Amino acid sequence: QVQMVESGGGSVQAGGSLRLSCAASGYTYNRYFMGWFRQAPGKEREGVAAINTAGVITYYADSVKGRFTISQDNAKNTVYLQMNSLKPEDTAMYYCAAAPDGYGGRWDWTPRYRYWGQGTQVTVSS
């Protein structure tokens, strides 16, 4: 059974940092492309960052470039999202997702992703 469990969300003030983790199990982790998405109330889900299976190619939304860093530990089947200099507009539910390696489409195209976590809430106050 596939499980993807996010953790690390919470409430912080603007300028603060959080580190999200997503522990995956039930599938061959190192054959999947990993992504982080977020969804704010009343808005569509949007891609935040993604990392390829080898962990050497990363992708970021323009809104988070220079502030967020995606990484992974294949030995732990875990992907991370380090979020620095947080802004109120970063407030959202954050989801990790896994896409089969080699599946086409942009990194932030949600249909590309097969497995999704339940999400962890991030709230940034001004």
Side-chain angles (χ1 to χ4, degrees):
Q1 181 178 359
V2 174
Q3 285 192 315
M4 300 182 68
V5 181
E6 300 100 334
S7 61
S11 297
V12 296
Q13 290 192 329
S17 298
L18 285 173
R19 189 193 194 204
L20 305 184
S21 299
C22 173
S25 62
Y27 68 94
T28 306
Y29 178 85
N30 61 7
R31 294 182 183 177
Y32 280 73
F33 184 92
M34 300 299 294
W36 283 97
F37 290 76
R38 66 186 180 187
Q39 188 167 18
K43 294 188 176 181
E44 291 188 356
R45 190 168 295 190
E46 63 174 357
V48 176
I51 188 167
N52 74 335
T53 54
V56 296
I57 301 175
T58 56
Y59 306 84
Y60 295 95
D62 288 344
S63 59
V64 307
K65 280 180 182 176
R67 300 188 298 123
F68 291 11
T69 303
I70 188 170
S71 61
Q72 65 184 359
D73 184 338
N74 284 351
K76 296 182 178 179
N77 289 1
T78 300
V79 61
Y80 305 96
L81 185 68
Q82 177 67 43
M83 305 186 296
N84 298 329
S85 302
L86 282 161
K87 303 176 180 180
E89 50 263 44
D90 295 319
T91 296
M93 185 72 79
Y94 282 71
Y95 301 88
C96 66
D101 192 27
Y103 195 94
R106 282 175 52 92
W107 68 270
D108 56 352
W109 186 50
T110 54
R112 175 177 182 168
Y113 291 81
R114 178 176 296 176
Y115 304 125
W116 292 83
Q118 294 301 306
T120 185
Q121 178 68 38
V122 172
T123 303
V124 184
S125 59
S126 58

